[in-house]
Amino acid sequence: MYVIMKNKIINNRLNHIGPNFSLHYNEPIHLVKSKGMYLYDINGKKYLDAIGNINIVGHCNDHVVESIYKQASILNTNTRYLYNIMEEYSEKLLKYFPKKLSVIYFVCSGSEANDLALRMANNFTNGSEYIVIDNAYHGHTDSLINLSPYKFKSKGGQGRNSNVHILDMPDAVRGKYRFNENQWINKYINEGKELIDNVAFNKKISAFFSESILGCGGQIILPPNYLKQIFNKIKSNNGVCVSDEVQTGFGRIGKNFWAFEEQKVIPDICTVGKPMGNGHPIAAVITTREIADSFNNGMEYFNSFGGNPVSLAAGKAVLEVIENNKLQENAQKIGNYLKIKFNDLKNKFPDKICDVRGEGLFIGVDLVEKGNPDLPDSKIANFIINHSKKLGLLLSTDGPYDNVVKIKPPLIINIDEANYLIECLDKSINYYINNNI
Ligand code: PMP
């Protein structure tokens, strides 16, 4: 009976909703509620959410829900009026940034934040050229698809625009230069600098966009010193450096609140989103006074929903929960534990797992055939996520070969839940091997 109903829901969706809104899993899940680390389907099955990076403080967190409700029942309006929550939240948020980043523009999504960053960079530099890292994803608008090799190089993509220039992704495992090669980091840095100089020789650079850990690239940690050197080169050519922290921000990576801090750089513009409202659509651009003043060129910036009091209340509540529950510390603690355990799995299945990487609760497990990084295995990665789903664990895959299992749970995950996650991965790989799939 339920199968008929589910098929009807799927068919209705196909009839009414854009067909390229994709669904997770071979058998999509019909959800009815969520709480904390867990999602519940219509049949009462409970799933541990290990991919819920948006719901950073846990699903339907009481403090966030109550703050939204309370603010929505008192006042919801737009930034053309004065209201206290704007000051309260802005001050709180800016404390997490280096002093130089002192001006906020509130928007509603990561794409909107990056699109605004792009406008600011264009306005500030009068430049026409963009530098991005291979396999980066910066958003779904037309302008950002063009800055996202992850999209424009893959199915349905229209290829690279001539004013977009791609740095090789410094992938230590499968890249052009690898960790066991002499000077591998410098080779990426030197080639990157050369490319930037060549671009700047004829044309003006507008911006360099980078994720400080590449999520869609397959959880790629940039090697030490990489961003510092590339930022310096961009700046010496009068370009603007934009750090896209939409995936990695808000304490997820454990040691630092933002991933750019790991690389010891300060961007000119930082964009944040996804977890900022724990599921409520709030995002932001944070920049310098100089760039903000130059953007204030006479044209009003108005955003109907960006910076509305309810969104700001959600954002403030998220920071309060992160602080009060020491969630950044938890991300580091559980993240380190998971990495040790995933490395144990790598030793147990050396033919299947060739690398475990990540920071805090932003981890990737790289699946291959015959232990060979040049044989990325999307088949086993896909099997693992679908089998884990049966066991009550939600995971996803990514990377240019779709062979990296991503782990990015809410930061409230505890040791028992981490152990369950490991157990599911272990069982899924065992099943795959024992059944010759
Ligand atoms: N930048 C990065 C790094 C992202 O991962 C995403 C979303 N996956 C975006 C930007 C776009 O954010 P949104 O989906 O909120 O528009």
Side-chain angles (χ1 to χ4, degrees):
M1 188 64 198
Y2 173 66
V3 175
I4 297 169
M5 179 181 142
K6 188 164 173 181
N7 286 340
K8 192 163 159 254
I9 293 173
I10 294 175
N11 283 336
N12 273 343
R13 182 169 152 136
L14 288 173
N15 284 337
H16 303 309
I17 307 293
N20 42 0
F21 270 105
S22 68
L23 283 163
H24 257 317
Y25 300 111
N26 299 343
E27 269 291 312
I29 306 177
H30 182 170
L31 293 174
V32 289
K33 68 172 182 178
S34 61
K35 190 74 193 166
M37 283 298 299
Y38 295 94
L39 296 162
Y40 298 83
D41 78 8
I42 192 159
N43 299 312
K45 187 172 164 95
K46 179 178 166 184
Y47 300 91
L48 178 67
D49 186 5
I51 46 173
N53 60 336
I54 293 174
N55 302 89
I56 192 161
V57 297
H59 290 272
C60 300
N61 174 277
D62 287 344
H63 183 54
V64 177
V65 172
E66 277 158 20
S67 301
I68 291 173
Y69 174 76
K70 207 166 136 200
Q71 186 61 53
S73 24
I74 297 170
L75 172 76
N76 198 14
T77 179
N78 64 63
T79 50
R80 286 199 177 115
Y81 298 98
L82 292 172
Y83 34 86
N84 291 343
I85 186 90
M86 171 78 85
E87 191 187 335
E88 288 162 23
Y89 180 47
S90 304
E91 276 180 12
K92 198 169 181 57
L93 183 63
L94 285 176
K95 286 206 178 105
Y96 285 92
F97 284 96
K99 287 227 156 25
K100 180 183 138 183
L101 296 173
S102 60
V103 185
I104 310 175
Y105 288 78
F106 288 111
V107 295
C108 309
S109 72
S111 299
E112 223 189 310
N114 280 330
D115 194 70
L116 181 57
L118 186 64
R119 276 182 64 199
M120 286 177 171
N122 291 345
N123 179 78
F124 189 68
T125 59
N126 248 326
S128 57
E129 307 302 299
Y130 307 101
I131 318 284
V132 294
I133 301 177
D134 205 1
N135 303 312
Y137 177 63
H138 295 296
H140 60 70
T141 64
D142 196 38
S143 67
L144 296 170
I145 292 292
N146 286 326
L147 294 190
S148 303
Y150 177 73
K151 288 284 186 195
F152 69 64
K153 277 173 57 176
S154 61
K155 245 194 239 166
Q158 311 240 314
R160 179 178 71 86
N161 278 356
S162 58
N163 64 342
V164 176
H165 310 274
I166 306 177
L167 304 181
D168 280 311
M169 183 170 75
D171 176 350
V173 171
R174 185 172 294 114
K176 186 171 164 190
Y177 308 116
R178 302 180 183 185
F179 70 95
N180 50 4
E181 218 172 300
N182 211 2
Q183 296 287 315
W184 71 278
I185 301 175
N186 284 340
K187 285 179 184 165
Y188 282 115
I189 292 174
N190 292 339
E191 285 190 9
K193 285 176 165 177
E194 204 179 317
L195 181 140
I196 294 163
D197 275 339
N198 284 342
V199 171
F201 187 71
N202 292 319
K203 304 222 166 112
K204 247 179 159 173
I205 292 177
S206 169
F208 167 53
F209 273 71
S210 62
E211 299 160 83
S212 309
I213 302 177
L214 284 100
C216 294
Q219 312 292 77
I220 300 294
I221 307 274
L222 295 175
N225 218 20
Y226 178 85
L227 274 190
K228 193 166 222 163
Q229 297 278 337
I230 300 294
F231 271 32
N232 285 344
K233 189 43 94 181
I234 295 284
K235 286 179 192 207
S236 69
N237 284 300
N238 302 314
V240 160
C241 296
V242 181
S243 284
D244 177 341
E245 290 280 344
V246 169
Q247 284 258 8
T248 46
F250 292 93
R252 170 161 298 283
I253 62 154
K255 204 156 65 181
N256 290 297
F257 206 72
W258 312 112
F260 67 75
E261 294 172 283
E262 293 274 308
Q263 289 273 318
K264 303 194 171 32
V265 292
I266 301 180
D268 304 298
I269 303 179
C270 179
T271 56
V272 296
K274 273 193 191 288
M276 191 172 181
N278 206 45
H280 186 92
I282 173 171
V285 176
I286 299 93
T287 190
T288 62
R289 170 54 58 198
E290 197 189 0
I291 292 178
D293 283 347
S294 109
F295 188 58
N296 183 21
N297 62 0
M299 185 190 287
E300 181 200 22
Y301 180 76
F302 179 66
N303 188 323
S304 298
F305 300 125
N308 74 75
V310 174
S311 298
L312 301 182
K316 181 165 169 271
V318 168
L319 284 182
E320 286 162 352
V321 180
I322 292 174
E323 288 165 8
N324 295 341
N325 297 283
K326 298 196 172 13
L327 294 185
Q328 185 182 338
E329 289 86 335
N330 195 55
Q332 186 166 19
K333 186 178 102 190
I334 305 283
N336 286 342
Y337 178 77
L338 279 172
K339 268 205 297 189
I340 291 169
K341 293 291 179 183
F342 286 140
N343 272 308
D344 290 346
L345 279 188
K346 179 178 165 231
N347 294 333
K348 185 170 172 188
F349 303 111
D351 275 2
K352 302 289 176 211
I353 300 176
C354 86
D355 193 34
V356 173
R357 52 181 174 261
E359 289 288 346
L361 290 171
F362 199 60
I363 300 175
V365 178
D366 195 317
L367 279 307
V368 292
E369 285 175 55
K370 300 177 186 160
N372 183 348
D374 289 319
L375 296 175
D377 192 351
S378 63
K379 189 173 153 228
I380 186 170
N382 186 50
F383 176 82
I384 289 171
I385 65 157
N386 281 290
H387 193 74
S388 294
K389 187 198 102 182
K390 284 189 195 150
L391 301 174
L393 168 72
L394 304 182
L395 295 165
S396 68
T397 59
D398 220 327
Y401 304 98
D402 218 21
N403 68 313
V404 179
V405 170
K406 292 216 282 194
I407 294 103
K408 40 181 190 160
L411 306 191
I412 57 170
I413 185 171
N414 64 31
I415 285 280
D416 291 342
E417 289 154 345
N419 281 330
Y420 188 64
L421 208 162
I422 309 280
E423 192 186 315
C424 286
L425 227 74
D426 192 349
K427 278 189 180 156
S428 301
I429 299 175
N430 257 320
Y431 192 96
Y432 187 86
I433 293 171
N434 295 336
N435 291 280
N436 288 321
I437 291 169

